[in-house]
């Protein structure tokens, strides 16, 4: 019996939710090889894609997409009527906000495209929506921006860790990259209570395990993934592993048989995605993942924190110290937070982009981290190849705060926008 036949026989009658994951779509790309300027059209299909879009957007970008705006018309008699219209607008971005609670990216700025309903220069707020294209124009698409595009459009290439968290009747199959946990499938089944003389519970569990078995087979590429974590409360994970091993041998499913050493059982509090946080906080699990990118990034950050105490002449943070070490080609591992790359100060961003490119060119490794632990030590840190006590006395420069997203060129006045909106409505 083939996998497809087994799937139809055992899984189709089962009441479960099965969600397939998609990634950001690159619709069009037009970037100049001369100066890096140009436009990219993207379509976000998952909440994770909106996070990537937020990391791409900066003040001064031009963004074009469909939006809804209230339009007021005045008749010849002086009466007014208002209606909401869906328009295609281009705005010069002045501020960017990501709301994690409702998963929205909001862009505020001035309208830059001619439109019969909205005048040039009027203030407007765009909301990036799932499954809708938007165009993003930049004066320079540097390497860090292009890396974000690559990771957003091809997340599987970055994933070396797969994880399954399950409980009775609920499971999530995920791929884990350095910055994101991507849900590839969600399986939910109604498991009836165990009753004496009834086999309904056992049948439902078997159907649930079969659905999960097929989801892993479909979404996990063991040629790229180095470890598959299977976590649950109690013995649910053990029962599923036993089912997986027996069925893979019976059906001769080579991906499972040839990669059984990559399967790692671990404890998780539930079958929900957030249970992975406690899995990755377990030192024993991280030890089993020592050959993966996720583990390497965690280990480098932990190593830096240890060296701050044990060998401070080889661990520095702050741009002046790290850049001075890089001038001497002493940087072995460079850590930079994503927040620094979102700086609205163009000069500051270019400094950090150049720092990353110089470190890579010199044979060092660079890692982008979104964690608060690194942000507490200025957002940029480095582990050096050799001690450099002579740079310890360099004073921190009192320049523009690299994490400050407020421009000094033009203050954004919310009242001004209200006045312009009122004028647009003819009031």
């Amino acid at each position: 019996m083939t996998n497809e036949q087994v799937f139809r026989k055992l899984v189709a009658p089962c009441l479960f939710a099965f969600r397939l994951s998609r990634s950001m779509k690159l619709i069009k790309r037009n970037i100049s090889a001369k100066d890096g300027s140009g436009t990219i059209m993207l379509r976000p299909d998952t909440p994770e894609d909106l996070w990537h879009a937020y990391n791409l957007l900066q003040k001064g970008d031009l963004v074009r997409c469909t939006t809804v705006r209230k339009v007021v018309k005045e008749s010849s008699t002086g009466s007014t009527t208002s209606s909401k219209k869906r328009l295609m607008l281009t705005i010069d971005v002045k501020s960017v906000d990501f709301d994690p609670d409702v998963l929205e990216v909001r862009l505020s700025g001035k309208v830059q495209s001619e439109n019969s309903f909205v005048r040039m220069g009027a203030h407007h707020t765009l909301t990036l929506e799932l499954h809708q294209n938007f165009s993003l124009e930049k004066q320079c698409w540097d390497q860090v921006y292009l890396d974000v595009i690559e990771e957003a459009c091809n997340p599987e290439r970055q994933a070396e860790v797969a994880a399954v968290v399950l409980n009775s009747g609920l499971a999530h199959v995920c791929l884990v990259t350095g910055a994101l946990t991507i849900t590839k499938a969600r399986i939910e089944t109604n498991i009836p209570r165990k009753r004496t003389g009834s086999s309904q519970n056992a049948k439902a569990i078997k159907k649930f395990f079969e659905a999960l078995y097929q989801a892993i087979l479909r979404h996990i590429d063991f040629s790229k993934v180095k470890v598959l974590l299977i976590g649950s409360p109690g013995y649910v994970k053990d029962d599923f592993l036993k089912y997986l091993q027996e069925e893979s041998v019976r059906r001769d499913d080579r991906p499972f048989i040839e990669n059984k050493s990559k399967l790692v059982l671990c404890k998780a509090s539930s079958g929900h995605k957030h249970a992975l946080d406690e899995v990755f906080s377990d030192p024993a699990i991280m030890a089993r993942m020592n050959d993966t990118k996720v583990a390497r990034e965690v280990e480098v950050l932990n190593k830096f924190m240890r060296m701050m105490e044990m060998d401070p002449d080889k661990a520095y943070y702050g741009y002046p110290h790290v850049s001075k070490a890089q001038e001497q080609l002493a940087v072995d591992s460079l850590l930079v937070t994503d927040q620094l790359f979102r700086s609205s100060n163009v000069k500051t961003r270019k400094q950090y982009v150049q720092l990353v490119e110089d470190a890579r060119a010199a044979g060092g490794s660079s890692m982008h981290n979104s964690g608060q632990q690194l942000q507490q030590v200025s957002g940029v840190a480095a582990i050096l190849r050799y001690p450099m006590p002579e740079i310890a006395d360099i004073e921190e420069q009192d320049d523009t705060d690299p994490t400050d997203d407020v421009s000094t060129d033009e203050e954004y006045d919310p009242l001004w926008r209200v006045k312009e909106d009122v004028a647009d409505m003819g009031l």
Side-chain angles (χ1 to χ4, degrees), residues 39-146:
T39 303
I40 285 181
M41 181 181 288
L42 299 164
R43 184 178 73 235
D45 283 332
T46 68
E48 289 88 350
D49 294 342
L50 293 178
W51 172 250
H52 282 303
Y54 172 62
N55 286 326
L56 285 171
L57 294 161
Q58 296 285 328
K59 180 183 176 182
D61 292 342
L62 295 180
V63 176
R64 181 175 178 81
C65 68
T66 59
T67 184
V68 175
R69 186 175 175 100
K70 186 177 181 180
V71 176
V72 177
K73 289 186 177 181
E74 184 176 354
S75 67
S76 57
T77 61
S79 62
T80 60
T81 58
S82 64
S83 61
K84 290 184 177 181
K85 291 188 176 294
R86 181 166 285 273
L87 311 170
M88 179 69 75
L89 293 181
T90 301
I91 68 166
D92 182 357
V93 177
K94 298 300 180 185
S95 65
V96 184
D97 178 54
F98 178 73
D99 189 336
D101 294 326
V102 295
L103 294 172
E104 283 186 351
V105 179
R106 290 185 288 270
L107 319 171
S108 296
K110 295 182 178 180
V111 175
Q112 297 295 307
S113 57
E114 292 285 351
N115 192 286
S116 57
F117 298 103
V118 184
R119 63 186 177 83
M120 285 279 289
H123 282 275
H124 187 75
T125 297
L126 297 177
T127 300
L128 298 188
E129 301 176 358
L130 293 178
H131 316 303
Q132 290 198 8
N133 298 350
F134 72 94
S135 294
L136 174 58
E137 181 179 346
K138 289 182 177 290
Q139 293 300 314
C140 180
W141 285 90
D142 59 44
Q143 189 57 49
V144 173
Y145 284 134
L146 297 178

Side-chain angles (χ1 to χ4, degrees), residues 158 160-161 226 286 289-303 333 335 365 367 369 383:
Q158 311 292 328
E160 296 179 314
V161 177
K226 296 181 178 179
M286 295 306 294
M289 297 167 53
N290 59 3
D291 192 33
T292 66
K293 181 180 178 182
V294 174
R296 287 194 297 271
E297 292 182 354
V298 172
E299 176 57 29
V300 169
L301 182 57
N302 290 340
K303 181 180 178 181
S333 298
L335 291 163
S365 62
M367 299 178 182
N369 190 294
I383 297 174

Side-chain angles (χ1 to χ4, degrees), residues 10 20 50 114 182 184 254 258 264 299 340 375 406:
L10 295 179
L20 303 181
L50 293 178
E114 292 285 351
I182 306 158
K184 299 300 293 183
R254 306 311 299 177
E258 296 171 358
V264 178
E299 176 57 29
L340 293 179
Q375 190 60 41
V406 181

Side-chain angles (χ1 to χ4, degrees), residues 91-365:
I91 68 166
D92 182 357
V93 177
K94 298 300 180 185
S95 65
V96 184
D97 178 54
F98 178 73
D99 189 336
D101 294 326
V102 295
L103 294 172
E104 283 186 351
V105 179
R106 290 185 288 270
L107 319 171
S108 296
K110 295 182 178 180
V111 175
Q112 297 295 307
S113 57
E114 292 285 351
N115 192 286
S116 57
F117 298 103
V118 184
R119 63 186 177 83
M120 285 279 289
H123 282 275
H124 187 75
T125 297
L126 297 177
T127 300
L128 298 188
E129 301 176 358
L130 293 178
H131 316 303
Q132 290 198 8
N133 298 350
F134 72 94
S135 294
L136 174 58
E137 181 179 346
K138 289 182 177 290
Q139 293 300 314
C140 180
W141 285 90
D142 59 44
Q143 189 57 49
V144 173
Y145 284 134
L146 297 178
D147 288 345
V148 173
I149 293 288
E150 174 66 19
E151 182 176 349
C153 297
N154 303 285
E156 289 82 0
R157 295 182 185 178
Q158 311 292 328
E160 296 179 314
V161 177
V164 174
V165 283
L166 68 153
N167 201 353
S168 181
L170 176 65
H172 284 82
V173 180
C174 304
L175 289 176
V176 183
T177 70
L180 292 172
T181 300
I182 306 158
T183 302
K184 299 300 293 183
R186 181 178 185 272
I187 298 139
E188 189 170 6
T189 306
N190 181 28
I191 306 291
R193 297 180 62 180
K194 185 181 295 187
R195 301 179 184 277
T196 304
S198 174
S199 61
Q200 294 302 312
N201 176 267
K203 289 180 178 179
I205 291 176
K206 184 176 181 180
K207 291 177 181 179
F208 172 59
F209 283 173
E210 178 60 26
L212 182 54
Y213 181 101
Q214 294 293 335
I216 296 173
L217 200 60
R218 180 175 300 181
H219 294 291
I220 305 303
D221 184 352
F222 284 98
S223 65
K224 299 176 182 177
V225 168
K226 296 181 178 179
V227 61
L228 171 60
L229 304 175
I230 303 175
S232 78
Y235 294 97
V236 180
K237 58 184 180 298
D238 303 88
D239 295 339
F240 173 68
L241 180 62
K242 181 181 178 182
Y243 176 87
L244 183 148
Q245 291 174 334
E246 291 177 351
E247 289 299 310
S248 62
V249 171
R250 186 175 67 83
R251 305 175 196 180
D252 194 30
D253 280 334
R254 306 311 299 177
F256 288 136
I257 296 173
E258 296 171 358
N259 295 280
K260 61 182 179 180
S261 62
K262 296 181 179 180
L263 308 182
V264 178
L265 294 181
C266 52
K267 184 179 180 181
S269 60
S270 72
H272 293 281
K273 185 177 175 180
H274 62 74
L276 285 173
D277 292 340
E278 61 200 58
V279 172
F280 291 127
S281 65
D282 186 344
I285 297 301
M286 295 306 294
R288 295 291 300 273
M289 297 167 53
N290 59 3
D291 192 33
T292 66
K293 181 180 178 182
V294 174
R296 287 194 297 271
E297 292 182 354
V298 172
E299 176 57 29
V300 169
L301 182 57
N302 290 340
K303 181 180 178 181
F304 171 79
M305 293 300 180
R306 291 194 302 269
M307 291 184 71
M308 287 279 291
E309 298 180 2
M310 308 298 295
D311 196 359
D313 290 339
K314 290 179 64 178
Y316 285 95
Y317 63 88
Y319 180 81
H321 293 91
V322 174
S323 61
K324 189 65 176 179
Q326 181 53 43
E327 288 177 8
Q328 305 299 319
L329 304 181
V331 173
D332 182 50
S333 298
L334 175 66
L335 291 163
V336 186
T337 61
D338 292 331
Q339 187 173 352
L340 293 179
F341 294 120
R342 289 198 296 268
S343 173
S344 61
N345 187 301
V346 177
K347 180 181 177 182
T348 299
R349 178 185 166 83
K350 285 184 177 180
Q351 284 181 334
Y352 288 103
V353 171
Q354 189 63 49
L355 191 63
V356 169
E357 293 178 349
D358 289 346
R360 290 177 178 175
S365 62

